[in-house]
Amino acid sequence: MPASVQFDTTVTAAGNNTGIVVPDDAIERLGAGRRPPVIVNVNGYEYRNTVGVMGGKHMISISAAVRKETGLKGGDLIHVTLTVAETPREAGVPDDFAVALAADTEAKAFFDKLSNSLQRYHVDSINAAKTTATRQRRIEKAISLFREGKQR
């Protein structure tokens, strides 16, 4: 069973950036290093993230997407549960992109070696397309980039 900690805190905000300051003792109790991958549960809403260090404090970001889903804003009181993530993050490749990758072993091999963030960059770009034609162009562009050995 992965290590887990709970604590109550407030959402920290600095400009457009929001996050959670993680107490040092919580990091120690997780026992997974200074920057562990975690599953974050904030007031019942769950998402994956990695603890970072900013200004000497352990922090977890709260993205605009999470804020939109939860209505969280700076200064809100929250209950946080952090659980060490034992499985790697996955980008959730859509079916049409998966078919295109499967048809090109070189592109698939390159995509599989990308960091989760770069995989998500391409998946999010494809998923954001408003028309089928745009979506197909973005898939073709990604495959072409991967064949050339380019990440973006």
Side-chain angles (χ1 to χ4, degrees):
M1 183 104 187
S4 185
V5 295
Q6 294 185 20
F7 56 94
D8 294 309
T9 189
T10 57
V11 175
T12 301
N16 284 341
N17 300 318
T18 57
I20 303 164
V21 175
V22 181
D24 290 339
D25 69 312
I27 295 295
E28 289 175 27
R29 286 185 285 149
L30 286 173
R34 291 182 40 111
R35 298 170 189 212
V38 291
I39 298 169
V40 184
N41 185 310
V42 178
N43 296 345
Y45 182 85
E46 207 168 84
Y47 66 101
R48 289 186 67 127
N49 209 319
T50 301
V51 176
V53 179
M54 293 178 60
K57 297 179 182 178
H58 292 93
M59 301 275 304
I60 296 173
S61 63
I62 301 176
S63 69
V66 171
R67 290 194 309 270
K68 183 178 178 183
E69 286 281 322
T70 62
L72 290 173
K73 60 187 178 312
D76 286 352
L77 296 173
I78 54 174
H79 179 74
V80 180
T81 302
L82 300 180
T83 305
V84 174
E86 294 185 316
T87 58
R89 293 189 306 182
E90 294 181 11
V93 178
D95 291 343
D96 51 355
F97 189 31
V99 167
L101 287 168
D104 189 319
T105 56
E106 183 181 351
K108 175 150 180 38
F110 188 84
F111 179 78
D112 289 344
K113 290 179 184 172
L114 292 176
S115 69
N116 179 265
S117 298
L118 282 169
Q119 288 181 356
R120 276 196 349 260
Y121 167 82
H122 291 287
V123 168
D124 290 349
S125 172
I126 291 164
N127 286 336
K130 293 186 177 21
T131 68
T132 305
T134 300
R135 185 178 182 91
Q136 189 57 42
R137 273 195 315 274
R138 290 181 182 179
I139 290 171
E140 290 167 3
K141 179 181 178 187
I143 297 296
S144 175
L145 286 171
F146 301 157
R147 275 194 216 119
E148 295 171 17
K150 295 180 180 176
Q151 296 178 350
R152 289 189 185 195

